[in-house]
Each structure stands twice: as C-alpha cells, then as structure tokens.
Amino acid sequence: MKKLSVIALVAVGLLSASCNKDKSADAAKTGTEQNVAEGKGEALKADVAASKVNWKAFHKGGFAPRWGTLSIQSGELNVDGGQLTAGNFVIDMASLKVDPASVTEKDKKPADLEGHLKNPDFFDVTKFPTADFKITSVADLATAPADAVAGANKTVSGNLTLLGKTVNVSFPAKVDVAEGTAAVQAKFTVNRADWGIKFGTDETDPAEWMISKDIEISVDVKATK
C-alpha cells in the first residue's frame, strides 16, 4: 500500500511538472478593468459571417485537447487616420461548438461535451448568453513573441467579460487597415480561473484538478463599411 502511495505521488509530480510546461509564450497579460478607448474616426461594422473565435482546451499535462468555435454576434472597429483606435465585439456563447475531430474516444460524443460546456459547470450560457470584448488601447509592437499570430504588428488591450466578470487582457495582434475595411487577428492563452470558470467545488476537487486552466483563444474579426 505504501509503495502504491509513493508511485501515486510521483505520478502527480510528473503531471504537475508537465502541466507547468503547458504555459506558452503567447499567454495574455491580464489586469484590472480599464477605461474603454474612445471610438474616434469611422466606425466599421463587424462582418459576423466572416469573423470567428476559435478555442482550445486541455486536460492536465496537455492530454486530450478539445477545440472548437464561437460566433461573433455583433461588433465594430473604429479607424482614424489609417489606424485602429477602438472597437468591440459580442460573442454568442450559445453558438459554442466542439469540433468532432477533437473527440476521439469511442465512448464520448461532441454534442455531450457542448452541453457540458454550456451548463453551469462552465459557461452557464442560459444565465450569461454573451461575452464581450472592448478595446482599451492599441499600441505599436516592435517585436512579436515567437508564438504570436503571424504578422503581429500591434499590442491590443481590452476588457474581456465572461460570466459577468471583466478582466483586462493584452496580447499581440495583426491589425490590417485599408480603405473601408479593418481586421484584427490574434492568438493568445488565458487562465480561465481569472473569470472564476471552474469545474468542481474547489481546487482540491479531482474533477477540477484534471482540467488545465489554460484556454487558447484565436480571434479573427473583420469589419467593413
């Protein structure tokens, strides 16, 4: 029995170490809610059909990743003098989809996972049907981190509201502005615990322990006149 306990402790240690390695260089910087940037210049309406949010989550140690999409419900990007000055978009949480390719176990179904993620254990979409992001600042980016989206040229900061809680996040992004159009692309990692998203009663709950707190997010928002 003692030998089994030692083996179990070693296994826990190895998994914890593996989990610590999961934190990548593309982690977003987070902080308290900030003042939203003034919408100077022309307001371009988000093309909801061409815009999307991709997500990816893991079990501890990077095992059994799951991924899927979310739809943009509405939004706009403000452009002044050829520069992105402000913007916002609303995410339809009820649109959450799980890519069937990410669920390879024979005894599991993507639809079941979708239902689980939408219930009060995670995103509670009945109570919180939308999430939103409001830009607080846009700054030039001299050197992009290795794991940033290709072509990243700006640091975008904004208030991200999930489950009624707002946290300011900053990440490298590729911002393209042309005549009558604007686009923002980004890839970064957030810690779901910052928004109080958990599975299980507390940190000691085995169910909570098995799921990584890191969620990878990819954003692609396009806007036009």
Side-chain angles (χ1 to χ4, degrees):
M1 185 70 176
K2 184 176 181 181
K3 184 176 180 180
L4 287 174
S5 298
V6 171
I7 292 173
L9 287 172
V10 171
V12 168
L14 288 173
L15 282 173
S16 298
S18 177
C19 178
N20 289 337
K21 291 179 183 178
D22 286 345
K23 199 69 175 178
S24 59
D26 60 357
K29 294 181 180 179
T30 58
T32 57
E33 182 177 0
Q34 303 294 312
N35 292 329
V36 175
E38 182 182 351
K40 297 179 180 179
E42 185 176 20
L44 305 177
K45 186 177 180 180
D47 182 346
V48 296
S51 302
K52 62 180 178 180
V53 175
N54 292 326
W55 60 268
K56 190 174 186 179
F58 309 85
H59 288 78
K60 282 292 178 70
F63 297 110
R66 312 293 195 208
W67 61 86
T69 60
L70 287 158
S71 298
I72 301 294
Q73 187 177 91
S74 62
E76 65 180 25
L77 297 176
N78 296 85
V79 175
D80 189 28
Q83 298 294 321
L84 178 69
T85 60
N88 65 83
F89 57 87
V90 177
I91 302 168
D92 178 8
M93 296 304 297
S95 71
L96 186 150
K97 297 293 183 185
V98 175
D99 189 328
S102 71
V103 184
T104 57
E105 298 89 342
K106 293 182 179 179
D107 60 334
K108 297 185 184 299
K109 298 179 181 179
D112 292 339
L113 178 56
E114 284 178 15
H116 192 194
L117 291 173
K118 291 177 182 179
N119 76 22
D121 283 339
F122 286 100
F123 295 107
D124 199 356
V125 300
T126 299
K127 185 176 180 180
F128 303 100
T130 61
D132 62 67
F133 181 80
K134 298 177 181 178
I135 293 175
T136 56
S137 67
V138 181
D140 291 336
L141 177 64
T143 304
D147 291 332
V149 66
N153 56 358
K154 301 286 183 180
T155 296
V156 173
S157 300
N159 294 329
L160 177 59
T161 301
L162 287 168
L163 275 67
K165 182 175 180 179
T166 302
V167 176
N168 191 263
V169 297
S170 298
F171 48 83
K174 180 184 179 184
V175 176
D176 291 313
V177 176
E179 182 63 32
T181 67
V184 176
Q185 292 179 296
K187 181 184 72 172
F188 54 93
T189 300
V190 295
N191 183 334
R192 60 182 171 82
D194 288 341
W195 289 267
I197 301 170
K198 64 180 180 179
F199 178 48
T201 55
D202 56 44
E203 290 292 333
T204 63
D205 192 315
E208 170 69 7
W209 185 87
M210 290 175 62
I211 303 172
S212 175
K213 289 183 171 61
D214 290 349
I215 300 177
E216 290 184 7
I217 297 177
S218 296
V219 176
D220 187 354
V221 177
K222 296 178 172 63
T224 60
K225 283 186 177 180

